[in-house]
Amino acid sequence: MILDRLSQVVTEALTRISDDLTAEALRADRQERRELLLDAVLLVRESRSDIEARFRRSFNEVFQARMFPAQASATDEAQQPTRELSLVSDDSLTDTLEVGRLAQRAAGALDAEQVLGIRARLAALIERDWFDEARHPASPDAIFEALRMALAELAPRAEVKSALLDAFEPHVSRSLNGVYEAVNDQLRAHHVLPRLRPQVQTAADVMRRAGGSDTPARPDAEPAPGGHGSAEATHRAAAAGAPGGPSSSASGGASSSAVGSATQSFAGQTGWSGQAVAQFHEAMAQAQAGRAAGRRQMAQLLSNPAMFETDEGPLAPVGPPLVAVLTDLQRDHHSGQLPITGPDIARHVRAQGTPLDQVTAEIVSLVFDYIYSDRRLPDPIKQQLLRLQVVAVKAALLDRGFFARRQHPLRRLIDCISELGVDPDQDLAPSGALVGGIAAIVDQVTATFVTDLAVFEQGIADVTALGQQQAELRAQRLARAEREAALREAMSLAQDEARVELERRLDQEVPAFVKDFLFNSWADVLARARCAPDATAGAQAWSVGLRAAEYLIWSVLPKQSDEIARLAAVLPGLMRGLNRGLDLLELSADARSSFFDALLRTHTRELEAAKKRSATGAVPRATAVRLQADGTVGFAPDAAQTVRSPAQASASAAWPASVQALVRGQRLDLHAGTVRRTFKLAWISPARKLFILSRHPDETLTFDAPRMAEMLQAGTMSMSVEPITVERAIRRAASDETLDTLTGEPTRTALQAA
């Protein structure tokens, strides 16, 4: 079941990866990067079925090895005598690190309850203790290892393989919770651990695991006698070394030397082992001392979902007095023109909170600094977001897992407001309806939030409705441009259809000037007939136009002498029909006269040639358009055709991948020298021939597909960089990237001071 569902995830991912990588290639600044990504696209297109099959085989191997490690070890030992000792290659080390990085990213999107369930239930099937989080048979680590193995067998360049693995990650991350949920439901339905009952961890357990034992407790075991008392002792011991208390405790904390040596990051931690507790205290000590490394480690801890799988650990809850102070603060300032500043919030937190509360507030402030530094966000939107900072501090203190929960409603609300703010089609004037609407929503949030997250959910709904309202107003403004573009595309499609029909009727012996006339001028005449408002009249005009084209083609083809009289009879009507059609076009008098003069000369030459054929007895070969027995000219579709119009050849070609990857709503940057202007891709025609770009207040640009492809290739048009989300800001806080290196702009604090 797991294999089938994961294979489906990989299959669905492969259908999208090509477009994802193509879009990324278009955004790439360096030619080498662009070529690398396009190589990855080519590999996906050419080897898709191979990738799917190899993944199934590779994942099955990884799953079996993890499910039954004893058998895998026996196999390895049996093969060991035939192996030679060798150093671990740089490529192997790189692969291991890359798989770990992607697995950790995917793990951050997982539901902790589903992960616990699958770790316990898969272990219960084979009657063993539950699997460690990163080592269970269906873990993200196992999936990315199988993908790595599958791609390695196709032997692409290391950079191409890395790009493909990165492209798989969001699809795996997005789908994995659904896979785990389905498996857990299936196992529960078959009475495999229908209810998990985690064992209470005692202080002795903490010390034992700190000493190196990694044997996990069985999640289905009942608490031992006195377990609750032991748990309370554990929490008391943790509290003794928690922020606000002594840094170590003789009764239950890690030793001073253990604390001093705990310097690695929290990125790889999967629970509150003794080592993790020691690292926590060391990170807190460094953060309290003002060291960036301590703050970075605390950001890693608080943004790691694995640290919040249980309520155990030294993360004591926030005290009610601080919550009350922050609630008063947000209400006092909720309608002010200027938001309360980070230093003001920090002062209140220092007065009422613990060191952990202070570090949490610092990380929130840093996250808002990153968002504030984003050049793409206009100032009116930044000001509204800053008003939410005190709310965010309180939310993060109430829920220590705030930074680890991507779906936290306040984080989603901030992202929703940011997304509207970078829309180039929005009126972002401080006095405009959009900014005013966002300000009202922020007012409501800051005035009413106490502890209920439903306030943020309502805020998200209100922002979404506000955005929809603005979208409807924009749609009215764009309606005329869309109608004009739709008519242009309908004409273009009708021209393509006309050229196809004309092409079928042509023959190699038709003079070039007649072919050009048909493929250009007469195709326009037919297209106008096809697009006529009256469908019945349009169909009749289309039929009459095709008949006129057939008579024109026949008139210039080689003839026998007995056809000369028929040609003389049809020429007056043919000329009148051609002229009536050309009256619909803006064709100059000189162009029309030049065509009919050339046609007259061709007819004269054909009359002389027909007389010579009659004298020699030569018979012209059969053509697609010919004189019928009843004296009319008709089209014989079975005649061999060798003519192909350049215009039709172009029309039948697929648009470049750069154009195929575009989606409605995307932001595109147009570059003119050093000037960059951002537009929204507001409309794409059904046949993807035409694209409308819009920008507030009323600016619209319409490009056809070839022009879009040309601009994207030349770099005069590019995908706009996405705004900094809360998730990206948290990641940067955890990696301790500075604002100067990220944006080249001063921090918000510096701007406020100025």
Side-chain angles (χ1 to χ4, degrees), residues 57-75:
R57 184 175 67 250
S58 298
F59 181 77
N60 187 58
E61 293 175 2
V62 174
F63 185 91
Q64 295 294 337
R66 293 189 173 198
M67 197 73 171
F68 307 105
Q71 296 179 13
S73 297
T75 302

Side-chain angles (χ1 to χ4, degrees), residues 457-474:
E457 296 285 2
Q458 182 59 50
I460 294 169
D462 292 343
V463 171
T464 303
L466 179 63
Q468 183 61 37
Q469 180 183 21
Q470 297 299 310
E472 291 171 359
L473 294 175
R474 294 198 309 275

Side-chain angles (χ1 to χ4, degrees), residues 371-385:
I371 294 174
Y372 194 90
S373 68
D374 191 341
R375 295 191 185 103
R376 293 167 290 278
L377 277 176
D379 288 342
I381 298 297
K382 289 179 180 179
Q383 292 301 322
Q384 297 306 321
L385 290 176

